[in-house]
Amino acid sequence: MNGRADFREPNSEVPRPIPHIGADYIPTEEERRVFAECNDESFWFRSVPLAATSMLITQGLISKGILSSHPKYGSIPKLIFACIMGYFAGKLSYVKTCQEKFKNLENSPLGEALRSGQARRSLPPGQSKQIWRYLGG
């Protein structure tokens, strides 16, 4: 013995280091595939339906007189606003689903960081914008 006491359990598992996901991180091919899949699915299955629904509801409220239309441009500004809000709401609503897809990847540093719950804490300020861009935001 070297004079140091080892208080670890004999069969305890040594925790694996959390991968560093920084500005220089390059996604693997599998991660790129999941990014593209998340982007497509969030657009077609969340953003388009929410944007269309919000536009229909807005147009209905305008036609019933609950919302007023613009004197010069009519209902177009409110419909554009509703469409944009629906689009972003759809993208945001898909983030958890996309995170689960990354957590299910076996050899993915990004998936490992999400599984360990350290993804947000290990990113420097402003880096979450880069990850969000990959997620389609």
Side-chain angles (χ1 to χ4, degrees):
M1 201 160 208
N2 60 6
R4 295 183 189 167
D6 189 8
F7 295 106
R8 286 185 287 178
E9 295 287 323
N11 293 329
S12 68
E13 194 174 299
V14 177
R16 293 180 7 205
I18 299 166
H20 176 68
I21 309 291
D24 57 343
Y25 178 71
I26 299 171
T28 64
E29 282 300 317
E30 194 173 15
E31 288 170 342
R32 285 190 199 129
R33 180 190 56 78
V34 173
F35 279 132
E37 184 179 303
C38 285
N39 195 25
D40 286 346
E41 289 177 1
S42 67
F43 179 76
W44 289 110
F45 299 126
R46 301 282 177 93
S47 291
V48 169
L50 279 174
T53 302
S54 64
M55 288 175 67
L56 286 172
I57 290 171
T58 302
Q59 184 60 43
L61 293 172
I62 290 171
S63 65
K64 286 188 176 192
I66 297 171
L67 290 176
S68 62
S69 60
H70 190 274
K72 183 176 179 182
Y73 301 111
S75 63
I76 299 296
K78 287 187 171 104
L79 291 177
I80 290 172
F81 181 76
C83 179
I84 291 169
M85 291 297 108
Y87 172 82
F88 284 115
K91 287 288 186 180
L92 284 173
S93 72
Y94 203 75
V95 169
K96 290 279 187 196
T97 305
C98 194
Q99 285 177 347
E100 289 303 316
K101 288 182 181 214
F102 279 102
K103 286 179 185 178
N104 292 334
L105 293 178
E106 294 209 7
N107 295 322
S108 165
L110 186 55
E112 180 64 33
L114 286 170
R115 281 190 295 275
S116 65
Q118 299 294 321
R120 284 252 184 227
R121 285 178 262 160
S122 67
L123 293 175
Q127 185 60 33
S128 60
K129 290 179 183 176
Q130 181 183 12
I131 298 297
W132 176 249
R133 186 183 76 230
Y134 284 126
L135 295 177

